[in-house]
Amino acid sequence: METAGRYGLPALASEVFQQLEILGVQFQDYHFIPMIDAFVRNKQLKEAFEAVNLMRQSKIKPTLDALFAVREAIQRDPDFIDTAFGILEDMHKDGHEVDIIAVNTLIASTSWSEDLQRAIGIYKAIGSLGLKPNVETFECLLMVCRNTAHVELAERLFSEMREANLKPSAKCYDLLIITIMRQADYENAFFFLETMKEDGHKPAAAVYEHIVRKCVRENDNRYRLAVEEMKQMGYKISEQLKDYIATGGSRGESREEREAYAE
């Protein structure tokens, strides 16, 4: 199966799959992913998307990793996303089921190119495919907002998620807070941090690190509270972060990190 996936040989993948079925093998996601990879590499996107439906039918919950080959193809050619979405539209028109994971994959793919316009266009068109966005959809959208530092849209999408009666995941909160911390006005980040904890989620270490670094840069003493919370959450304070705090932000940050934390 791995060979079939690597070299784009869907016929071989299907044959191996059939043999496994005859042997009564209980299928796992790692049986489907090489077959999906093979279809994508052979430019058979419809078959790749149908394989995702087969995963569901086999009671296997597909993840974004199942369609990673699609994301790689879009990374090589951003316009490929339009082709992929067109295939999903044709599948729906022909009465075939479209899996939300396929749509989420396309949205996630736009984060690499920071193509916010395409991400929102796909999000708005979800209903035309007979689907509704799920929490993962918003995780993917918030990922694009983080990469493009678009805080207003991030907060609006977060509200729309709640209006749809979807409970935000820890990842949704993490992405939203990090996006806010990259802005000049970052007060809302503390509100969402408290809301996140009230919802029973544990903020990621990266969230606290963003807060600490931002507060140190802004001479905001709340960095001390963030450091204490990091310790209470069981996170280790890195030597680099300690150095950053001790020097008021003049040391402990590489060029790449400075660009990542820049407003």
Side-chain angles (χ1 to χ4, degrees):
M1 288 292 278
E2 293 296 332
T3 300
R6 187 178 302 112
Y7 294 102
L9 303 171
L12 175 60
S14 297
E15 184 178 338
V16 173
F17 198 86
Q18 289 171 4
Q19 290 302 314
L20 291 173
E21 193 171 22
I22 292 171
L23 293 171
V25 172
Q26 185 173 355
F27 290 118
Q28 305 294 332
D29 56 355
Y30 52 78
H31 292 122
F32 286 92
I33 291 175
M35 183 168 63
I36 293 171
D37 289 350
F39 281 131
V40 174
R41 289 187 170 87
N42 203 46
K43 298 182 179 179
Q44 293 177 256
L45 269 185
K46 180 182 177 183
E47 288 78 4
F49 291 141
E50 288 176 339
V52 173
N53 294 338
L54 187 58
M55 287 183 75
R56 292 274 190 198
Q57 292 169 15
S58 300
K59 303 198 182 320
I60 299 171
K61 182 180 178 180
T63 66
L64 290 175
D65 288 340
L67 287 169
F68 187 74
V70 173
R71 295 164 67 184
E72 285 186 317
I74 293 170
Q75 187 178 28
R76 292 191 296 270
D77 177 13
D79 291 335
F80 185 67
I81 197 169
D82 299 326
T83 300
F85 189 77
I87 289 171
L88 294 180
E89 288 183 311
D90 290 342
M91 287 176 64
H92 179 65
K93 289 176 184 176
D94 292 341
H96 297 290
E97 185 178 357
V98 174
D99 197 290
I100 189 64
I101 197 70
V103 181
N104 293 346
T105 295
L106 299 189
I107 294 175
S109 301
T110 66
S111 65
W112 283 336
S113 57
E114 299 181 0
D115 194 342
L116 190 58
Q117 184 175 355
R118 269 195 173 110
I120 296 303
I122 294 170
Y123 167 58
K124 291 183 176 179
I126 286 177
S128 68
L129 299 174
L131 299 170
K132 291 182 180 180
N134 60 11
V135 172
E136 186 180 55
T137 307
F138 287 98
E139 289 177 351
C140 296
L141 289 164
L142 289 168
M143 195 184 308
V144 186
C145 290
R146 179 202 59 190
N147 291 357
T148 57
H150 203 309
V151 67
E152 291 181 8
L153 180 59
E155 291 186 354
R156 186 165 77 243
L157 288 168
F158 199 85
S159 295
E160 290 181 10
M161 176 171 42
R162 284 196 173 282
E163 290 168 5
N165 293 320
L166 294 172
K167 183 179 179 181
S169 64
K171 185 175 181 178
C172 286
Y173 276 109
D174 287 344
L175 290 166
L176 176 61
I177 293 168
I178 289 173
T179 303
I180 295 172
M181 291 309 298
R182 290 179 175 175
Q183 315 301 313
D185 180 1
Y186 55 94
E187 284 302 313
N188 276 354
F190 297 102
F191 166 76
F192 286 112
L193 182 67
E194 293 307 312
T195 304
M196 178 181 189
K197 291 184 289 185
E198 290 170 5
D199 276 357
H201 296 304
K202 179 181 179 180
V207 169
Y208 284 111
E209 183 159 341
H210 274 77
I211 292 173
V212 170
R213 290 179 180 274
K214 180 71 171 183
C215 289
V216 168
R217 287 198 303 276
E218 300 295 329
N219 294 316
D220 184 338
N221 284 328
R222 284 178 291 184
Y223 81 84
R224 300 178 190 274
L225 296 174
V227 169
E228 286 305 310
E229 273 199 27
M230 283 187 79
K231 294 176 181 177
Q232 292 169 11
M233 293 285 183
Y235 295 128
K236 182 180 178 182
I237 312 301
S238 68
E239 292 301 318
Q240 190 176 40
L241 185 57
K242 289 178 183 177
D243 196 29
Y244 187 85
I245 295 169
T247 60
S250 62
R251 286 210 319 264
E253 193 171 56
S254 67
R255 178 177 62 81
E256 290 78 10
E257 287 172 321
R258 284 197 297 274
E259 290 173 354
Y261 291 117
E263 274 99 34

